[in-house]
Each structure stands twice: as C-alpha cells, then as structure tokens.
Amino acid sequence: MNITDIQNIFTEAEEKISQASDSNELDEIKHFYLGRKGKMAQVIKQIPELPEEKRPLAGKESNIIKGKIQSLLSDRTQQLKTGQEKTQKIDTSLPAVKRTLGGRHPITIVIDDICKIFEHIGFTLVEGPEIETDYYNFKALNIPEGHPARDNFATFYLPKDNMLLRSQTSPVQIRIMKDVEPPLRILSPGKVFRPDNLDASHSFMFHQIEGLVVDKKTNFTHLKASLSYFVKNFFGRDVTMRFRPHYFPFTEPSAEVDIACIICGGEGCSVCSRTGWLEILGAGMVHPNVLKEVGIEESIFQGYAFGLGIERIAMLKYGITDIRMFFNNDMRFLKQFS
Ligand code: DAH
C-alpha cells in the first residue's frame, strides 16, 4: 500500500458519488468508503506496517482523502435535493391545485341590492352598535317597562349595566336623530339577536334593515311611495302590495306591509298560508314621544320609519324554505348565489 493507492481510492469514490442518483445510493457509498470497516479504515489500519518514514505522509493523506470524500458526499446530497425541487416545480403532469374562489354571501347580496334601491332615492347608509343599552333598544323607542319585547325570553341581556344584544335595528334611529340635525334620510343594515329556538323560520341571530326619514311636511304618502318604489324594484314591477293596520310602540299610525304572494300570485298556497299575501316589513310615522325624546320639534318635523327582515326577504325572493341554510356554511348552497 502506498500514497497512489490512497489517491486511487479517492478517484474511484469521486466517480461513484458523481453517478449516485439518490440518497440510498449515497448512504451505501459512505458506508463502503468511510464506514467502520470501510475502505479508508482498512487503509489506515495498514499504515503501521509501512516503513517508518512513509507513515506520517500516509496518515496525513488518508485524513485529507476522508475529508474530501465526506464533502463530496454532502455536496451530492444537496445537489440531488435541489434537483428534485426543481423537477417538482416544472412537473406539469402533477394534478393542479384546485382553488375555489370566494363569493358574497346571499345575505350580503340581498342587503346590497336593497341598499342600492334606497340609495337611488336619497337614503344614506349608517351603522349602529350590536351591543346596545336598554335606553336605545327600548326606552327611547317608547317601549314601556313590562312590554313583552323586554322579556328575558325575547332579548339577550348582558350581565352588566343594562346592556343587551340589540333585538332590532330601530335603536339606530335614536342614535342618528340625537346626533344629526334633520332633514334625515338613512338606512341601517345589521345583525339583530333574539333568544328564539333554531328552526326552519327562526334563528337567534338574523339581519334587519332600518329606514328613517325625518323632514318638514313628511306624511304617510311619502312612506307609501318609498316602500312601493322598493317593492317594485326588488320583487318586480307587477308585484302588488298592501298596508295592514298594526301596532308598534315607536310609530303612530303603524302598519305591516304585505306583498302579493310571489309563489302563487295571490291565489293562496302553503307559503302564504292560503292568504295570498306575504308580510315583508313593519312601518309607520315616527311616534311623537320618540321625537320628543330625541329633541326634535314635532310641529316642524315629522318622520316615517320602516324595518325589514333580510332573511325573510331573501327566502321569499330565492324560494329558500329553511333559514338555517344561510348559516350552515354549505358550499353547495352558497355557491348558487355568487
Ligand atoms: N323594529 C321592528 C321589529 O323588529 C320593525 C319595525 C317596525 C321597524 C316598524 C320600524 C318600524 O322602524 O317603523 O319588529
């Protein structure tokens, strides 16, 4: 054994390493040359048998060669890794990642559609808080102590300071009338909460849109005209509507508005409970007590207001029979709207 033999081992190893095509092969090569009983170990074992003057050089050379083989092995390992990454990047045979595009939720679509219609006739969008006080949700709206709407079964109360989750969007009326001088013409969409049991037509969270107009010489005719404009633009030119006398504490007179059933055209079917009519919203002239509470002079200004439930309107428009469909996050349902 001499120095040339050691160098030959290196040349041989170098070639094998450069031809190795995966990490298993590299492991085998490593074992073969650098393992405990590998080629280099055998060489080193023979060094003591060399003539004394040759031993230091042979020892030194063996160490250098071991180091070189080791670094060739790690270089090749690295090379194979990045090579694999590169081929992965350009492997056009791999199935493509399917990307699903998000879309607007049907409730958002209906809110936007309704708001657009009212914006055409001068309404401005405003927002109010979902956590309210008893004052804005009830008292200022002329809803007296002991009214059933204040009941624990009708409102979610928070443990502190007379706070609650608003059960209607009407408190936004109060906030705006207190903050902004009339004339006012606002629309306020948002979430409301009521402790109802979840079923096909009830949910503990749903959406409403509140409308409010306060101006000089405002009367019921203006209310009728605005709502009729909305109904014709949203449901269709031929859809008729009617006002039915009703009671709300914050309006006087009050009405509920029905449209002719869009399923049966007014003939009577299961959706309209054979009446031919579908209730879509509540409305009325702002009650004098409410105007007084917010400091608006009722001899100069009058107002009208209305409130509609978005889920109900969306269900009627799209023929959806279960309110829970809106909140189940089922893509098969949601995809139909975007
Ligand atoms: N806040 C009423 C409700 O949740 C809806 C409503 C009725 C709003 C009449 C109004 C209105 O502004 O004038 O049932």
Side-chain angles (χ1 to χ4, degrees), residues 167-170 173 194 208 210-211 248 250-251 282-284 305-307:
S167 56
Q168 48 184 351
T169 41
S170 304
Q173 288 186 26
R194 290 181 196 177
Q208 288 187 335
E210 191 76 12
F248 294 107
F250 33 89
T251 42
F306 56 89

Side-chain angles (χ1 to χ4, degrees), residues 6 12 74 76 85 165 199 218 248 273 280 302 305 325:
I6 301 177
E12 184 191 296
S74 19
R76 184 70 184 143
E85 276 164 16
L165 298 184
D199 64 24
T218 301
F248 294 107
S273 311
I280 55 159
Q302 304 78 41
M325 298 297 289

Side-chain angles (χ1 to χ4, degrees), residues 2-3 9 31 58 64 75 77 110 163 175 189 223 237 295 319:
N2 56 38
I3 297 292
I9 293 176
H31 183 71
I64 292 173
D75 286 354
T77 309
V110 172
M163 303 289 263
R175 290 185 174 275
L223 168 63
R237 291 255 137 239

Side-chain angles (χ1 to χ4, degrees), residues 35 52 80 88 100 145 164 192 197 207 217 272 330:
E52 205 177 335
L80 287 175
Q88 267 173 4
T100 25
E145 296 281 342
L164 45 84
V192 300
N197 283 331
H207 297 76
K217 299 196 181 114
C272 59
D330 185 336

